[in-house]
């Protein structure tokens, strides 16, 4: 639940999602659900010359199970809050 | 649009581009979906990318794709899509997903 809540806080921010097939997609985070499926708006593929497969796609849905990394904006992490939340989660609520 | 969940509801009856875990790219009209991202695609075709020649389009028809096998579902902007010259696009096929 912690990461679900965390990603919900990031809605509206610019993120880059790297997939397990090495494709990296940059866009504005539109929404996240319990499976950590992600919807991005205004997307562009990071290496468009190598991956022209999504040239006509501006909005996309990414299945949570294929996400390798989510690269966050610099101001997207408040380490103190995240530390506290992580400890609370580790104690079991 | 409500920014609650990223369900595929707004894409129903629209043209979408699906990238599967084995690296295939299938384009068609979304007719239905469920919780597990299983998808019903109508009038679908596969776009086959290669280094040697332009994109080939293979007609598939009505398809159901199991959610386990789906990586990305993209909303196709039909205007952008019609401007693409598929015969000139060259690219390596996408790599399969490795979990």
């Amino acid at each position: 639940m912690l990461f679900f809540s965390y990603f919900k806080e990031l809605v509206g921010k610019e993120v880059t999602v790297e997939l397990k097939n090495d494709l990296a997609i940059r866009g504005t985070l539109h929404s996240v659900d319990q499976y950590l499926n992600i919807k991005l708006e205004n997307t562009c593929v990071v290496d468009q010359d190598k991956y022209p497969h999504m040239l006509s796609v501006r909005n996309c849905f990414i299945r949570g199970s294929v996400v390798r990394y989510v690269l966050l904006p610099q101001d997207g992490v408040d380490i103190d809050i995240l530390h506290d939340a992580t400890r609370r989660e580790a104690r079991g609520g | 649009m409500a920014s609650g969940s990223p369900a595929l509801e707004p894409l129903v009856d629209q043209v979408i581009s699906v990238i599967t875990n084995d690296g295939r790219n299938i384009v068609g009209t979304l007719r239905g979906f469920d919780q597990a991202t299983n998808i019903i695609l109508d009038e679908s075709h596969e776009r086959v990318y290669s280094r040697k020649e332009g994109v080939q389009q293979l007609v598939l028809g009505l398809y159901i794709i199991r959610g386990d096998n789906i990586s990305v579902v993209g909303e196709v902007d039909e205007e952008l899509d019609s401007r693409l010259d598929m015969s000139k696009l060259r690219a390596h096929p996408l790599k399969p997903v490795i979990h």
Side-chain angles (χ1 to χ4, degrees):
Chain A
M1 277 310 267
L2 174 63
F3 283 93
F4 177 38
S5 315
Y6 178 64
F7 279 119
K8 276 201 288 190
E9 293 289 307
L10 286 172
V11 165
K13 297 241 165 71
E14 186 93 347
V15 296
T16 304
V17 181
E18 185 182 314
L19 309 185
K20 292 179 190 171
N21 56 9
D22 292 350
L23 187 67
I25 307 170
R26 187 165 178 75
T28 309
L29 188 64
H30 170 273
S31 51
V32 195
D33 69 10
Q34 53 172 331
Y35 308 108
L36 304 187
N37 295 328
I38 290 174
K39 232 183 192 176
L40 296 182
E41 287 183 332
N42 271 318
T43 55
C44 61
V45 170
V46 172
D47 190 349
Q48 236 163 30
D49 295 333
K50 196 173 171 197
Y51 302 109
H53 310 71
M54 291 181 64
L55 279 175
S56 49
V57 172
R58 283 291 93 101
N59 301 313
C60 75
F61 167 96
I62 302 168
R63 203 168 190 270
S65 60
V66 299
V67 174
R68 183 185 291 142
Y69 303 121
V70 180
L71 288 93
L72 309 169
Q74 193 65 251
D75 63 350
V77 203
D78 187 323
I79 291 170
D80 295 330
I81 292 178
L82 203 54
H83 272 170
D84 286 348
T86 313
R87 287 194 197 99
R88 233 176 294 125
E89 188 91 352
R91 279 201 303 268
Chain B
M1 197 192 292
S3 66
S5 83
L8 297 171
E9 192 63 60
L11 297 179
V12 170
D13 292 331
Q14 291 205 50
V15 179
I16 59 165
S17 161
V18 178
I19 293 174
T20 60
N21 289 1
D22 58 0
R24 283 194 275 188
N25 181 201
I26 302 174
V27 178
T29 310
L30 181 66
R31 294 294 181 208
F33 68 93
D34 69 5
Q35 284 258 348
T37 343
N38 298 315
I39 274 179
I40 304 172
L41 268 189
D42 200 2
E43 296 172 350
S44 61
H45 65 268
E46 181 179 349
R47 292 185 178 166
V48 185
Y49 287 81
S50 81
R51 239 6 275 187
K52 290 204 178 111
E53 49 189 1
V55 178
Q56 285 195 51
Q57 310 211 30
L58 304 178
V59 175
L60 301 176
L62 183 65
Y63 249 50
I64 295 179
I65 310 174
R66 192 174 155 86
D68 293 345
N69 196 27
I70 288 175
S71 304
V72 183
V73 177
E75 178 183 342
V76 172
D77 184 320
E78 298 199 51
E79 200 196 315
L80 284 178
D81 199 55
S82 62
R83 270 191 262 152
L84 284 181
D85 186 355
M86 292 289 171
S87 61
K88 291 225 177 74
L89 270 185
R90 262 146 239 250
H92 287 288
L94 278 169
K95 279 182 239 169
V97 166
I98 301 166
H99 288 291

